[in-house]
Amino acid sequence: NSKKAAELGIKRHNMLLFTGPNGTGKTAMAEALAGELGYPLIKVDAEMMFSSMGAYYCIRRVFKLAERFRNSVILFDEADKIIGRARLEDDNSLIGALNSHAEKFEAVQRAFIVLTANNEDRLGAGVADRFVTINFDYPDFAERAEFFRRKAEKKNILTEDFEINDLAKATDKKSFRDMEKLWESIVCKHFETGEPVSSEDFLQLRNEFVKEQEAEAIYG
């Protein structure tokens, strides 16, 4: 409600920074924002940034798009990996370019620009100051339990005495993406045996899940 906001003296923040670990819903939230607003979603990916046009041109292009297409959401995914700095380094020239365009854009209420980042420190203080930061974290115990409870509901994949809380305990500090992987392994076990998965079956699946997570942490 831009008119009411203007009457109350509330500034519309149209530059957003979504931060948090992989798999916690940053990209999905940008897509949901566009969907709720009924706006088209324009994605900027690494391939575009490192094309023959060059990263500087692409950063400029992002803001030009935002000025031209007022009713849209422009998603700059994993910005810290594409233009970020090392934690203790000075801001690099690409971040400087991003800050420069963002500063000019602050006074113009156009499209929404959404940056996502796993590590906001790599984007520097200037970006954090100009963008409204929304932090995404791993789901808590209750959220994880609810996730698995909904998955298991009325599907006869788990035995009646299976404790859903065991699934929530096994996925502490894990993302929804990781939880989805664990659930898929349970479903595959159910398909293989044709029987509901028991707590005893889950012990083996959990061990395999932990090993897989450790391997991903080491090798990516």
Side-chain angles (χ1 to χ4, degrees):
N1 193 335
S2 57
K3 184 177 180 180
K4 187 65 174 179
E7 291 175 357
L8 297 174
I10 299 174
K11 177 185 176 182
R12 170 184 162 178
H13 295 284
N14 53 330
M15 295 190 297
L16 309 174
L17 174 60
F18 293 171
T19 68
N22 281 326
T24 50
K26 301 184 296 296
T27 302
M29 183 61 76
E31 293 171 347
L33 173 63
E36 288 293 321
L37 293 172
Y39 289 177
L41 180 70
I42 303 172
K43 288 187 178 182
V44 180
D45 56 24
E47 184 177 352
M48 176 182 175
M49 290 296 293
F50 295 112
S51 67
S52 59
M53 295 182 294
Y56 291 100
Y57 173 84
C58 290
I59 290 174
R60 177 174 175 270
R61 182 66 175 158
V62 167
F63 286 92
K64 286 295 183 182
L65 285 171
E67 290 176 10
R68 179 180 177 187
F69 298 104
R70 182 183 299 270
N71 296 328
S72 64
V73 175
I74 299 175
L75 173 61
F76 191 169
D77 218 358
E78 298 189 327
D80 56 328
K81 294 182 180 179
I82 298 172
I83 64 172
R85 60 178 185 172
R87 180 178 292 271
L88 299 178
E89 288 181 352
D90 293 332
D91 287 353
N92 64 33
S93 54
L94 287 177
I95 292 177
L98 176 61
N99 274 318
S100 176
H101 286 290
E103 186 174 10
K104 297 173 185 175
F105 189 78
E106 280 184 311
V108 182
Q109 294 187 358
R110 302 282 184 170
F112 286 95
I113 295 179
V114 180
L115 305 187
T116 72
N118 296 335
N119 184 351
E120 62 184 299
D121 292 343
R122 294 189 62 196
L123 293 175
V127 172
D129 286 343
R130 292 186 174 92
F131 284 73
V132 175
T133 301
I134 300 176
N135 295 310
F136 291 69
D137 203 353
Y138 292 120
D140 60 25
F141 181 88
E143 290 169 330
R144 298 195 304 273
E146 178 65 16
F147 173 89
F148 287 115
R149 191 171 291 111
R150 291 188 181 189
K151 289 286 189 182
E153 190 177 22
K154 298 179 181 179
K155 293 184 176 66
N156 298 320
I157 292 175
L158 305 177
T159 57
E160 292 184 2
D161 62 344
F162 193 103
E163 288 290 339
I164 292 293
N165 285 349
D166 289 344
L167 295 171
K169 291 175 184 176
T171 49
D172 185 36
K173 300 296 182 184
K174 300 299 180 184
S175 69
F176 285 110
R177 188 180 301 161
D178 294 328
M179 291 156 58
E180 191 74 47
K181 289 180 181 179
L182 178 58
W183 179 253
E184 286 177 0
S185 69
I186 292 172
V187 174
C188 287
K189 182 71 173 179
H190 170 62
F191 285 160
E192 288 172 4
T193 63
E195 299 290 337
V197 176
S198 66
S199 295
E200 186 176 344
D201 295 328
F202 174 63
L203 290 177
Q204 179 183 353
L205 294 174
R206 184 185 63 184
N207 292 336
E208 293 173 357
F209 173 72
V210 170
K211 290 179 181 178
E212 181 181 320
Q213 293 293 302
E214 290 175 347
E216 286 187 3
I218 295 173
Y219 301 109

